[in-house]
Amino acid sequence: MSTKADPIVSFHFSLEIQGIVTGYFTEVSGLGSENEVAEHKVMEAGGKAEVIKKIPGRLKWENIVCKRGITGNFDIWLWRQMIIDGKVEGARKSGSIIMYNEAFTPVAKWDFVRGWPMKCTGPTPKSDSNEVGLEELTITHEGITRVNVGGPSDA
């Protein structure tokens, strides 16, 4: 079915909105989907026992969560502001999450459709800490697909 390949090491991720890089992130989660499970009762042959069959129910897409150290870039905040201002249709964008290795070569890619920023949060400052302040963007969408970036490590 497929050839054996070493796991891909992630270094960081970019977020592209309609082909334009909006930012680079150090952590991304939610690149997937799941189905609810529906149970269907059927009688076994001969009618002696009832068997419960599990079948796929509604498909649900996970929200994409991107985290990075806070920067001077306001793109994600401006995108979020469109939702706050009630411009939902204008804010719906298709985009991609691209994973890079240490050499900054794309090694994996996920395309999403009709995404919009449902949540944007800034850092939690603490005066007694020297941690990097993180900002987080949560994107909800109507579908995501992993696509081949063409490299041999994406087999």
Side-chain angles (χ1 to χ4, degrees):
M1 188 171 193
S2 69
T3 60
K4 184 178 178 183
D6 291 332
I8 299 171
V9 176
S10 64
F11 183 65
H12 66 262
F13 304 84
S14 68
L15 168 64
E16 286 185 1
I17 302 298
Q18 297 189 194
I20 299 169
V21 174
T22 300
Y24 293 94
F25 296 83
T26 54
E27 185 179 338
V28 174
S29 62
L31 301 174
S33 65
E34 68 177 291
N35 283 85
E36 293 177 355
V37 176
E39 294 185 350
H40 180 65
K41 295 178 184 179
V42 295
M43 292 301 287
E44 209 173 56
K48 295 182 181 178
E50 191 173 70
V51 177
I52 297 177
K53 302 276 186 176
K54 295 188 178 192
I55 58 175
R58 287 189 302 189
L59 175 63
K60 298 187 299 185
W61 302 103
E62 294 182 34
N63 292 326
I64 301 168
V65 180
C66 304
K67 295 180 183 180
R68 69 177 178 191
I70 193 165
T71 69
N73 184 320
F74 280 81
D75 288 354
I76 64 174
W77 294 93
L78 295 173
W79 188 26
R80 174 72 185 135
Q81 189 64 45
M82 292 177 73
I83 298 297
I84 294 168
D85 294 342
K87 300 173 184 172
V88 178
E89 275 309 307
R92 289 183 189 273
K93 309 281 185 194
S94 293
S96 301
I97 302 292
I98 302 169
M99 185 170 80
Y100 298 89
N101 64 13
E102 298 88 356
F104 205 64
T105 302
V107 292
K109 182 179 179 183
W110 293 263
D111 290 340
F112 62 88
V113 293
R114 292 181 50 81
W116 55 273
M118 64 173 281
K119 180 179 177 183
C120 203
T121 59
T124 307
K126 298 180 205 172
S127 63
D128 62 345
S129 173
N130 61 355
E131 296 174 0
V132 172
L134 296 179
E135 62 183 0
E136 184 176 303
L137 169 67
T138 303
I139 302 168
T140 192
H141 54 86
E142 296 178 4
I144 191 165
T145 306
R146 177 151 180 213
V147 295
N148 191 338
V149 293
S153 61
D154 198 34

